[in-house]
Amino acid sequence: QKEVEQNSGPLSVPEGAIASLNCTYSDRVSQSFFWYRQYSGKSPELIMSIYSNGDKEDGRFTAQLNKASQYVSLLIRDSQPSDSATYLCAVPANAGNMLTFGGGTRLMVKP
Amino acid sequence: GAGVSQTPSNKVTEKGKYVELRCDPISGHTALYWYRQSLGQGPEFLIYFQGTGAADDSGLPNDRFFAVRPEGSVSTLKIQRTERGDSAVYLCASSPGPGGTYGYTFGSGTRLTVV
């Protein structure tokens, strides 16, 4: 089992809809979780971090964490074509000194 | 600097040649990471530094790969006897402390093509 798993997609949603991106992880002791956005041909950019169970909202983005189920998700409300990118989930490894990344989910928002 | 700087942005080299990739982290960031990313894949860990020392080099694929950070700031990833399978985007990232707590800031990457 991979340490961090994501559906590779593509996930296609119409403009204005809610996009839901999911990630599962194997290390039960992980304490912090990160979402990165990566546009085609560019490097990953940190967009959200979450440390506690529940929801964390930042503008149109909401991260949701369920440590018991080892599941973290990212919701994007009012999706825009500019949100079209690959979204990478990252989980701490090596006693929290580094991050392990999932394979990413490619999101396509259609006008 | 304001961000993580990587040079060169693109490198084309012939199979068997030696290459060096450079990373200049955000000023004051003590942790520095190297990852490799192939098309359609997530970043794959290579090595990380805490200060001048390599704290974990378990991701280096073989002994052709080596990295240094002699003064605790700029790092160089060195690849000897390059192979076509080494072609990928090499990403450098830095963090003010443990990356699992703070997250990383990535540089723009070096696209390495071995022909």
Side-chain angles (χ1 to χ4, degrees), chain B residues 46-99:
Chain B
L46 295 176
I47 185 172
Y48 95 89
F49 293 86
Q50 184 60 46
T52 59
D56 185 343
D57 64 357
S58 62
L60 296 177
N62 51 59
D63 61 6
R64 296 186 297 105
F65 289 75
F66 189 70
V68 296
R69 193 186 185 197
E71 298 178 357
S73 178
V74 171
S75 175
T76 304
L77 178 66
K78 308 180 181 195
I79 310 174
Q80 298 178 320
R81 305 183 303 281
T82 51
E83 299 177 357
R84 292 195 179 89
D86 299 334
S87 297
V89 175
Y90 288 80
L91 295 167
C92 177
S94 70
S95 178

Side-chain angles (χ1 to χ4, degrees), chain A residues 1-8 21-28 30 32-35 64-74 87-92 100-105:
Chain A
Q1 181 187 2
K2 290 184 180 178
E3 294 180 52
V4 184
E5 296 217 37
Q6 297 181 256
N7 188 320
S8 61
L21 305 161
N22 304 314
C23 172
T24 58
Y25 59 94
S26 60
D27 187 351
R28 288 191 169 273
S30 294
S32 50
F33 304 85
F34 302 87
W35 284 98
Q64 298 177 319
L65 175 59
N66 183 325
K67 291 186 180 180
S69 300
Q70 296 174 244
Y71 177 95
V72 57
S73 63
L74 180 70
Y87 290 81
L88 298 162
C89 173
V91 174
T100 295
F101 288 82
T105 298

